[in-house]
Amino acid sequence: MTTEDMRDEARYQKQGFGNEIGIVGGVGLLIIDFVNGFADPEAFGGGNIPQAIERTQDLLAFAREKGWKVAHSRIIFADDGADANIFSLKVPSMLGLTENNPASAIVPELAPVPGEYVVRKTVPSAFAGTPLAAWFVSHGVQTVVVAGCVTSGCVRASVLDAMQAGFRPVVISDCVGDRAIGPHEANLFDMAQKVADVMPLDALLSRISN
């Protein structure tokens, strides 16, 4: 951390940002958009996304061992583009992520098992316009642990909506990734100050295990 970074963090702390919200009640895991297209640097990927996918395998195994409710999200548009929206106007290539396009399939390493909820969405947030919040509530989830990509886009949007829906988001810093490291780091910092707890996987495992 540079001297300037330390000054920035001190300014936020002085103004009352960055308090810990904690892990409370039932815990759920949300894995956002770890699909083939985002694992491919020639499609929507790049940066540290491959490393985040690899690390998330350990997180998912831990969540399953603990019996957490697990949800995965995919961006899925209609084959004929009938549900095109402002998001796809901004990023037209997203319209190619249709149900049967291999690029929209969850990476094999993190493939859902029976009982895990797969959320299909056409906007960045996994909560916007989907039953995800109600699904978590129905299973007694109060804290949502978050992995996925990209940190500056769908992860951030989902974390913000989780907080606004009354959940306690915990972003696992080495289980989220972005196609560019600058936006990844900036958004981790900002989420930690305003909307979520942010920690590496080892810290989460230590906290849950103790």
Side-chain angles (χ1 to χ4, degrees):
M1 182 179 291
T2 67
T3 301
E4 185 175 355
D5 290 337
M6 293 174 65
R7 288 173 181 163
D8 287 343
E9 190 163 346
R11 184 179 302 113
Y12 274 80
Q13 290 176 350
K14 183 178 180 180
Q15 294 177 4
F17 291 91
N19 290 328
E20 184 175 288
I21 56 179
I23 298 171
V24 172
V27 181
L29 173 62
L30 173 59
I31 302 176
I32 300 166
D33 298 355
F34 272 155
V35 299
N36 293 324
F38 282 91
D40 181 357
E42 298 303 315
F44 298 105
N48 62 344
I49 294 174
Q51 295 91 329
I53 290 174
E54 182 176 359
R55 192 67 170 132
T56 300
Q57 294 177 58
D58 295 329
L59 172 59
L60 180 56
F62 180 79
R64 287 169 174 167
E65 179 184 328
K66 290 291 183 180
W68 294 356
K69 301 308 295 184
V70 177
H72 307 252
S73 73
R74 302 168 61 198
I75 296 172
I76 300 292
F77 282 94
D79 289 346
D80 62 358
D83 51 358
N85 55 22
I86 303 302
F87 184 38
S88 64
L89 180 64
K90 188 68 177 177
V91 191
S93 51
M94 290 289 173
L95 285 172
L97 294 173
T98 55
E99 181 66 42
N100 296 315
N101 184 340
S104 74
I106 294 169
V107 295
E109 309 95 288
L110 302 172
V113 299
E116 296 179 355
Y117 180 34
V118 179
V119 181
R120 290 162 171 80
K121 62 191 181 75
T122 60
V123 293
S125 173
F127 289 90
T130 76
L132 179 58
W135 185 79
F136 274 140
V137 168
S138 71
H139 291 288
V141 170
Q142 293 178 262
T143 299
V144 177
V145 173
V146 178
C149 67
V150 299
T151 313
S152 60
C154 296
V155 169
R156 184 190 177 93
S158 300
V159 168
L160 180 60
D161 277 358
M163 183 273 290
Q164 292 176 155
F167 299 105
R168 296 173 186 244
V170 180
V171 179
I172 308 306
S173 56
D174 47 350
C175 293
V176 294
D178 209 311
R179 62 182 61 88
I181 302 303
H184 169 76
E185 294 179 345
N187 279 274
L188 284 179
F189 175 83
D190 202 55
M191 286 189 287
Q193 299 306 317
K194 299 172 184 174
V195 299
D197 288 346
V198 176
M199 64 185 71
L201 179 57
D202 286 345
L204 175 75
L205 300 184
S206 176
R207 185 170 303 193
I208 296 290
S209 299
N210 291 335

